[in-house]
Amino acid sequence: MTSLTTFEVRPATLRDAKAIAEIHAAADQAANKGLLSQESLPPIPIESRQAYWREAIEYSEPQVHVALDEGRIVGFVGFDRSRDKGTPPTIGEIWAIYVATSQWGRGVGLALWDAAREGLQEEGCSKVTLWVPLGNERALRFHELAGFKREPSSARTVAMGAVRIEEIRLKRALG
């Protein structure tokens, strides 16, 4: 039986960008192990990820929150309005949600999801979507346990480096 801990979740600050970039890189690599080879998708330099997250935090696009365990950042979530063309402004999107691999299964993702859900509701969103690679069973299982449903007609192929992957949109009501 897993012991779930309560994590502090707060809006990210510019000084959090490096920790966010490091978690993003490590969790992304672990999540995509077996889906993509290192040769086909070389790792994105930490400096590039850090610059991306600094800009996101500075301009709140997306809004970024971090989860802390004893003062240390152990995960983050980026959320905002949906980026999908033609969606109404009442549809939000989880742009990214990543947890340090050492913290998987401890409730960090749930704490981040709760913060994103509250933030999107405050913005007037009634539904939320996210995109997940079809081969990422851990992410699919997490989101389905959180009440998301797959939208089979949304399946698409996207380029990641030299590889093409299949991903699917998941959706749920925020009420």
Side-chain angles (χ1 to χ4, degrees), residues 57-84:
I57 294 163
E58 184 173 357
Y59 296 105
S60 293
E61 195 172 314
Q63 296 178 55
V64 181
H65 284 82
V66 293
L68 301 138
D69 184 23
E70 297 180 5
R72 186 175 56 94
I73 294 173
V74 293
F76 72 95
V77 63
F79 60 93
D80 211 331
R81 305 274 182 203
S82 175
R83 297 171 288 181
D84 294 334

Side-chain angles (χ1 to χ4, degrees), residues 27-36 97-99 104 130-144 150 160 165-168 170:
D28 198 34
Q29 184 177 29
N32 289 318
K33 191 175 186 172
L35 289 176
L36 307 169
I97 185 167
Y98 287 90
V99 173
W104 285 0
L130 57 97
W131 289 92
V132 177
L134 278 170
N136 188 336
E137 290 301 324
R138 173 179 280 279
L140 289 165
R141 188 173 49 252
F142 171 81
H143 293 295
E144 287 171 345
R150 297 180 195 204
M160 289 184 79
I165 64 160
E166 296 293 321
E167 63 180 16
I168 191 165
L170 286 76

Side-chain angles (χ1 to χ4, degrees), residues 3-10 66-70 72 74-75 99 103 105-112:
S3 169
L4 296 181
T5 308
T6 302
F7 297 91
E8 175 191 352
V9 178
R10 63 162 171 78
V66 293
L68 301 138
D69 184 23
E70 297 180 5
R72 186 175 56 94
V74 293
V99 173
Q103 302 292 314
R106 295 195 55 230
V108 179
L110 183 57
L112 291 166

